[in-house]
Amino acid sequence: MKDQTEKKLLEKNTNPTSMRILVYDFLEQQQTAVSLTEIENYFDKADRITIYRTLKTFEDKGIVHGIQENNTTKYMLCHDSCSENTHKDRHLHFYCKVCKQTTCKEDFLIPENKTQGYRIDEIRFFAKGICENCLNEGLQ
């Protein structure tokens, strides 16, 4: 797994340091977006600033996308099609008011821009409600 992660980071012009590999592998295992604090809590002895810088580097290189949620940023891995110049983050980010989880809903897409003369680099498409799991469990 380490070799695979190193390869992915190198493909994104990112030096595969030990912390970057660990953070990438952690994010790859997540089904929902996670905050800096959640990542920091997972890595018991890691420095918060190092994790923060890793996430910022990943965001700059098109490895993760940050999702603004109230006053917190949560992170999820990007698709391989994202790059340093533009994130292909054209889907809905959904926050469940019951379980407090944020997920990417790729079945809700924003259409591509076909107009010439400008370039959209980032779109924030965010919704709050109750997720499928909480609805099915009758927690609403």
Side-chain angles (χ1 to χ4, degrees), residues 7 10 20 32-33 37 42 46 56 59-60 62 69 72 80 86 91-92 100 110 115 122 124-127 131 140:
K7 182 180 176 197
L10 288 169
R20 289 175 180 172
T32 61
T37 301
Y42 180 79
K56 284 295 156 202
E59 206 168 16
D60 291 344
E69 183 182 295
T72 304
D80 290 338
T86 183
H91 56 266
L92 176 71
K100 312 283 190 243
I110 300 170
T115 306
E122 181 179 351
R124 297 186 189 268
F125 189 35
F126 188 81
C131 71
Q140 71 280 3

Side-chain angles (χ1 to χ4, degrees), residues 19 36 40 43-53:
M19 182 53 73
L36 171 61
E40 180 186 14
F43 295 108
D44 197 26
K45 304 226 187 284
D47 178 54
R48 181 179 184 86
I49 299 301
T50 303
I51 295 171
Y52 176 79
R53 287 182 181 151

Side-chain angles (χ1 to χ4, degrees), residues 22-86:
L22 290 170
V23 170
Y24 186 94
D25 288 344
F26 173 75
L27 291 172
E28 196 169 43
Q29 296 171 20
Q30 305 308 304
Q31 300 299 314
T32 61
V34 292
S35 68
L36 171 61
T37 301
E38 290 170 302
I39 298 168
E40 180 186 14
N41 289 340
Y42 180 79
F43 295 108
D44 197 26
K45 304 226 187 284
D47 178 54
R48 181 179 184 86
I49 299 301
T50 303
I51 295 171
Y52 176 79
R53 287 182 181 151
T54 296
L55 292 169
K56 284 295 156 202
T57 298
F58 282 4
E59 206 168 16
D60 291 344
K61 298 291 187 174
I63 297 169
V64 300
H65 59 275
I67 303 163
Q68 296 300 315
E69 183 182 295
N70 300 323
N71 295 325
T72 304
T73 302
K74 291 196 171 183
Y75 300 91
M76 285 198 82
L77 287 179
C78 288
H79 290 290
D80 290 338
S81 61
C82 290
S83 71
E84 290 181 60
N85 300 323
T86 183

